[in-house]
Amino acid sequence: MAGIKIRDVIEETPNTPLPKLPSNGNQVPHGEGKGVGNNIAMDPKKLKRVAANREYSQRYRLKQMQYIAQLETGIRAL
């Protein structure tokens, strides 16, 4: 993974929208549910944990994209 740059992965991914998933009726529209910005009086420990979870998720998604890009590079080499 040393040869893969974040910029390369981002440039190779298409900007096509993802398909809509079927709704089961229990989902709240984006921005209207419980969130960090909606409850200012939220416990500081919970805010810290939510922020850490988001950062971890972002790193994980980036790692997945890099791994897929590495596999695609290996396929092209074959």
Side-chain angles (χ1 to χ4, degrees):
M1 288 200 311
I4 297 175
K5 302 286 186 225
I6 296 172
R7 187 178 324 190
D8 297 335
V9 174
I10 292 172
E11 289 174 357
E12 289 179 4
T13 56
N15 290 333
T16 57
L18 297 174
K20 298 282 184 185
L21 296 175
S23 176
N24 60 4
N26 295 335
Q27 297 176 349
V28 178
H30 180 68
E32 296 181 14
K34 293 181 181 178
V36 177
N38 292 345
N39 191 359
I40 296 174
M42 190 181 289
D43 183 31
K45 286 184 179 180
K46 185 171 182 177
L47 287 174
K48 186 177 178 181
R49 188 175 66 243
V50 168
N53 287 344
R54 286 183 181 171
E55 290 176 19
Y56 174 81
S57 296
Q58 288 174 344
R59 286 193 313 265
Y60 179 75
R61 286 189 297 268
L62 180 61
K63 190 175 178 180
Q64 282 180 321
M65 287 176 30
Q66 289 174 338
Y67 177 71
I68 291 171
Q70 178 188 9
L71 291 176
E72 289 174 348
T73 303
I75 289 171
R76 286 187 203 120
L78 292 175

